[in-house]
Amino acid sequence: MARLSIICIGLILFVTVWSSSLNIEGSSKRVLVLLDNLAIRETHSFYFKQLRDREFDLTYKSSDDSNLQLVKYGEYIYDHIILFAPGTKEFGGRLDAEILTQFVDAGGNVLVAGSHIIGDAIREFAGECGIEFADDKNAVIDHLNYDVNDNGQHTLIIASPDNLLASELITGEAKKVGLPFLFRGIGMSSDSENSLLLDVLTGSSSSYTANPDEKTLTEYPTTVGKRTLLVSVLQARNNARVGFVGSLDFFSNDFFQSPIQSNDGKKSAKSGNEELAIALTDWVFKQRGVLRARNIRHYLKQDKTTPSFYTIKNDLVFNVQFDEFVHGKWMPFNGTDVQLEFVRIDPFVRTTMKNNGGQLEAQFRVPDTYGIYKFIIDYNRIGYTHLFSATQVSVHPLRHTEYERFITSAYPYYISSFSMMVGAFLLSFIVLYHRDEMPKTKVE
Amino acid sequence: MTSTSLMRIIIFILPIFSWYITSTIASNLNIVNLNGLKAQFQTAIKSFSDVASLHYTLGGVKELGVQLPDSHCNDIKKLVDKSNVESIYHATEAAKTLVNCKLPAEDYRSTLTSVLQSDESKTADIYYAVCSSVNLGLNIDESNIEKRLNTLAKTDDSILSQAYGLLTGAQLSQPIAKYYADTINDLVQQADEIDGRILQYEGGIGTTAFIVNSFYEVAEKAGVSIKTDPKQLIKFATYFSSKRHVATLRSAYYLTKVFKHLCDNKNPVPIVVSRISPSAISPQNPSVLVSITNLLGQPVGEMSVVAESAKRKEDGVVVISKQKLIPKASDFSVYELPFYDTKIPRGFYTIHLTLTARNEGKLIGLTDNIIDVKVTSQGTIENAELIVADRDHGAQSKTYKLTYPNAQSDKLELDYHQKLTVKFQIKDKQSDEFMPVQQAFLRFTNKQSKKEIIYLAEATDNGNSQYKVEVDLTTNANDFRYQSDKYELVLILGDSLLQNAYEWILNNNVHLTFHEDSLPDKDYKNLYLPRQEIIHQFREDEKRPPNIVAFVFSTLALLPLLLLLILWLKLGFNLSGLPLGLSPLGFHISHGAAFALMFFYWKYLDMFQTIRYLALISIPLFLFGHRVLSTLAARREKKA
């Protein structure tokens, strides 16, 4: 037993050391910003300033810097990557699509912005994530929703907040505020088999992605209508997050500050870009929607003790503390839709837990089937990290002493046997001591 | 139209966006986003955290022509750090912007002198000290400072350090300033050129604006003009004007100063040529309006503006050459070029403008100005028809004529035997020609799930651009995922050269019927929803007879015992055979205890406990029982 526990501790230590290079929640904030050219630092300075205000530690690098590396002495030196380098065909140094994918596999988060030109490395990385960018020189075109400052090709489009994902964690207040978004860039399509991708912002039903210089469309456009993805995100199975935005200008100072006037005269004093860009970055870089579970406890309802096993039909209580990571602090989670499952191959019980200030509680009666069970919490909601927790317990059948006694229907049996005993006791006196001396007296 | 309101319009209409628009408009400058700078300073005024931002804000606001109240003088006095030369510099500069704000010179004298005499001081420190001394009216030893600067120049030849040198020179006497003004061209040569149209220094907008500003300061003091190629000045100006928003107050302040210098008539003034009319030229908007101003959007006087050429982008056809533009405003800030007439076909055009100033000033950037416009045309949809035909018997078809913008009022029912064809043409209203469009989509929208299925209409090649789209409900059934449902049918037509795009609802109520069961839409959203609760169904208890049965049978089971007792009482019994002594008592007690144990076994004990107790009880039971029986047996033997 002692040896086993040493091995277990060793394994846990190994796992923690091995994964320590990247943290799951966003408490470490080292960001590598890769830029096509360093001028982007200035044209997008408001965005970067907001990130610095959020205490992100930004390292700007040109995407063709020959000293690019993500790993130093076997450890990742960044937690997040911003790829504002759509024009880069190949990254400099030790960085390519495969290394980016490995980075995501290790739990790193990546934010990618595209433009009308997208380099092969980024295309390949996007492909790994199930996102396909349209061909080079293509742009999202919307002849019905464009801004007056458009250069004539109707590629400076206005995306309506109606087409925004309704998740406050990912899009912040952007949906509630209802400001339209300015977008100029490329459209994406997502792999329909990939269930981990979420469409955050799509084009309107009249938008499509094509080369604006072509007179007529020679083939079916890469994306049409609402299937034109402008912003999409991926949360991998290890909870690493990847964000794709088809437009680098989306994050620019000009788009953040610009008033919007659509072709049909609708005006708005400011675009919603800043709100969405910041909320999206917060989400991708794990400042929002990160959950953890701790203090898992289960005990008998009757006497609040945790037995080494449960017996069928016990009433038990399951307790767990949920915390949410909100801007650098662990706060009590206040969702009310967390479900607990009691599973023996199939779930036998699935119940919604009561939330009392982050303390979640469920009470139920153990099923009348014995075996090895697990308490499973499989919390998967849009915007939150996937939280899976399993705790194993065994459920025994009744012991021989635990069956029901004093059954009313059995009273005839009880009484007959006891009356027999009483009878035998009394009879023993008669049999032993009764003397028949009567014949004489009877005669008399 | 007053010039301020005009300026406001210009600023409103012309936020030019990012690098890839500016890359198409090769050399044009933009009007400065003054409102943005002003707003930035005004937000900063609300609270000051340090004396530097106070300096930049007050200075910037003053440059923009707003005089702030002297109440800020207290802020300066509160925030200044008397032992730090940089802080003193910012304080004195800030105080200078206010009308009546005197700082006590004596408080700072010792710090300033020690900085000027120290060998540790950098060029920047020297500049701070000199500038502060001048602002405070303290005497400075010019020759000493010049020597110090020369030694420093040998050890630190960075551009920034040289710029501080220039600024210090600007504070000293004119001959020294002149000496420094002569080095400006060397510094200009050290700037980095990007794409052949932008000049900047390493360190970005703040640094570049600071350095260029130092050129002007020292040149002004020296009383000379900046001796450098105007092309390079234009490149700097392009860089500055492309920065519509800057992040720091320092950048904003120096940018404002540089713009003021670039618009000062004493210096070469770069000209901004920009289009203020929308890019689309149409009958409603037939001419191109061009504004010609300096960087701040102020008029620069009368000049003759000639459109050298207007070329169509795709094939280079020249439609206009050497046409003079007509001045539109009295202050000669807006010029008009009539562009729209039927002879100019649809397309994107590039207009090259050349400017000649009437009164020879120091205007630069008069040639190679480019304006992009497009000529659009108004379209009409003609010959639109919707044909419902049988798949197998093409002849059996029904044709519905459609007119824009009316929708079909009747419900349209289609099943998998049929196919739907939509045909239409788009005609240019002016030239009466059929025109092609880029976007010609036929969209089905499922009225319930809002899912969209879009088909492309293709143009036939015979010149009259008849568009046709055919939807066969059997071969295309998979697009609809066999979902027999109500759909909305919409035709979308759009092109960048079409004045208005069309989104025409053809029929709001189309019933499609497919021959197979519908497939559900792939929607992963339900992976993220709470699942249905499961409440475990326990096995039901066995059915038991009612309690009354148990009661009746319990009584029946008791009856024999009762009967026994009654009969005994009736028949009579005696215990005359009971031998006296301890052993019968012990025997019966232990006998009764054994039976009582059975009761306890039933009620409280488990089997092992019972066996243990039984073992204990059985010893006296055996011994006493043996004694009693042997006594009785002996007595019987005696009798016999």
Side-chain angles (χ1 to χ4, degrees), chain B residues 101-114:
Chain B
C101 180
K102 274 243 178 302
L103 297 179
E106 289 311 312
D107 286 9
Y108 311 113
R109 189 192 285 275
S110 63
T111 316
L112 297 178
T113 342
S114 71

Side-chain angles (χ1 to χ4, degrees), chain A residues 42 149 152 184 192-193 205-206 208 211 220 226 254 339 350 352 368 381 404 414 433 435, chain B residues 13 20 204-205 239 243 374 438-439 443 452 454 522 524 531-534 539 544 574 577 588:
Chain A
E42 287 183 353
N149 291 308
R184 178 171 52 216
S192 61
E193 299 297 323
S205 347
S206 56
Y208 62 104
N211 185 345
Y220 200 77
K226 287 198 173 163
D254 293 333
Q339 290 180 322
R350 187 185 292 132
T352 306
D368 52 358
R381 298 287 179 274
E404 192 186 359
Y414 302 144
Y433 311 125
R435 289 283 176 270
Chain B
I13 292 177
Y20 79 79
I205 181 71
Y239 176 63
K243 300 294 169 215
K374 65 170 183 178
Q438 192 185 36
Q439 184 184 25
R443 186 181 76 210
E452 297 172 347
I454 291 175
K522 266 183 207 154
Y524 296 111
R531 273 173 266 179
Q532 202 177 3
E533 293 205 347
I534 300 172
R539 253 172 307 191
R544 285 177 186 168
N574 62 39
H588 287 292

Side-chain angles (χ1 to χ4, degrees), chain B residues 237-463:
Chain B
T238 313
Y239 176 63
F240 294 133
S241 78
S242 70
K243 300 294 169 215
R244 307 205 51 83
H245 303 281
V246 287
T248 62
L249 279 173
R250 181 174 186 269
S251 309
Y253 170 65
Y254 284 113
L255 203 55
T256 319
K257 283 192 95 161
V258 164
F259 284 136
K260 285 292 247 195
H261 288 305
L262 282 170
C263 295
D264 190 340
N265 286 329
K266 281 181 285 183
N267 304 319
V269 177
I271 295 296
V272 181
V273 176
S274 50
R275 165 172 56 71
I276 53 171
S277 54
S279 69
I281 303 291
S282 61
Q284 285 77 35
N285 177 31
S287 50
V288 186
L289 294 177
V290 177
S291 95
I292 292 173
T293 58
N294 62 17
L295 277 168
L296 295 176
Q298 295 152 343
V300 288
E302 191 181 353
M303 55 178 63
S304 84
V305 185
V306 177
E308 291 291 329
S309 68
K311 267 189 203 161
R312 184 140 83 163
K313 269 190 191 161
E314 55 184 298
D315 49 13
V317 173
V318 177
V319 290
I320 283 180
S321 70
K322 299 271 180 214
Q323 191 170 335
K324 209 161 178 277
L325 273 69
I326 312 148
K328 280 287 271 189
S330 58
D331 59 1
F332 301 105
S333 61
V334 180
Y335 293 82
E336 183 183 8
L337 174 67
F339 200 80
Y340 189 86
D341 71 70
T342 43
K343 276 175 279 170
I344 296 181
R346 292 187 306 277
F348 288 90
Y349 293 89
T350 310
I351 306 168
H352 283 262
L353 295 175
T354 305
L355 284 62
T356 325
R358 187 60 47 89
N359 37 358
E360 200 54 54
K362 287 181 169 176
L363 304 179
I364 55 174
L366 294 170
T367 53
D368 287 339
N369 285 298
I370 292 170
I371 297 282
D372 280 330
V373 293
K374 65 170 183 178
V375 176
T376 60
S377 48
Q378 215 172 358
T380 51
I381 305 175
E382 298 204 340
N383 305 330
E385 3 177 88
L386 192 152
I387 305 157
V388 178
D390 203 284
R391 282 191 80 213
D392 305 323
H393 310 76
Q396 293 180 8
S397 67
K398 253 192 208 165
T399 305
Y400 304 94
K401 291 267 177 216
L402 300 166
T403 41
Y404 181 79
N406 305 325
Q408 259 186 321
S409 50
D410 301 336
K411 145 172 135 178
L412 190 65
E413 282 193 10
L414 293 172
D415 65 20
Y416 57 93
H417 293 300
Q418 291 171 312
K419 59 184 181 184
L420 176 85
T421 311
V422 175
K423 288 181 182 173
F424 57 91
Q425 283 171 307
I426 303 146
K427 199 181 245 179
D428 185 334
K429 225 179 196 174
Q430 281 75 38
S431 65
D432 242 14
E433 285 168 0
F434 293 110
M435 59 182 285
V437 289
Q438 192 185 36
Q439 184 184 25
F441 291 173
L442 185 70
R443 186 181 76 210
F444 289 86
T445 311
N446 189 318
K447 292 183 96 173
Q448 219 163 21
S449 67
K450 301 285 171 211
K451 215 186 92 162
E452 297 172 347
I453 300 105
I454 291 175
Y455 293 98
L456 245 59
E458 275 163 21
T460 47
D461 291 329
N462 54 11

Side-chain angles (χ1 to χ4, degrees), chain A residues 297-332:
Chain A
R297 250 167 59 79
H298 50 87
Y299 50 86
L300 287 170
K301 190 183 177 189
Q302 207 178 359
D303 54 4
K304 306 209 166 167
T305 55
T306 306
S308 54
F309 58 84
Y310 288 96
T311 310
I312 56 167
K313 293 184 171 178
N314 277 166
D315 283 317
L316 66 79
V317 180
F318 182 89
N319 254 331
V320 61
Q321 172 77 35
F322 262 43
D323 297 317
E324 186 182 355
F325 193 71
V326 184
H327 294 302
K329 258 184 263 159
W330 286 106
M331 309 287 268

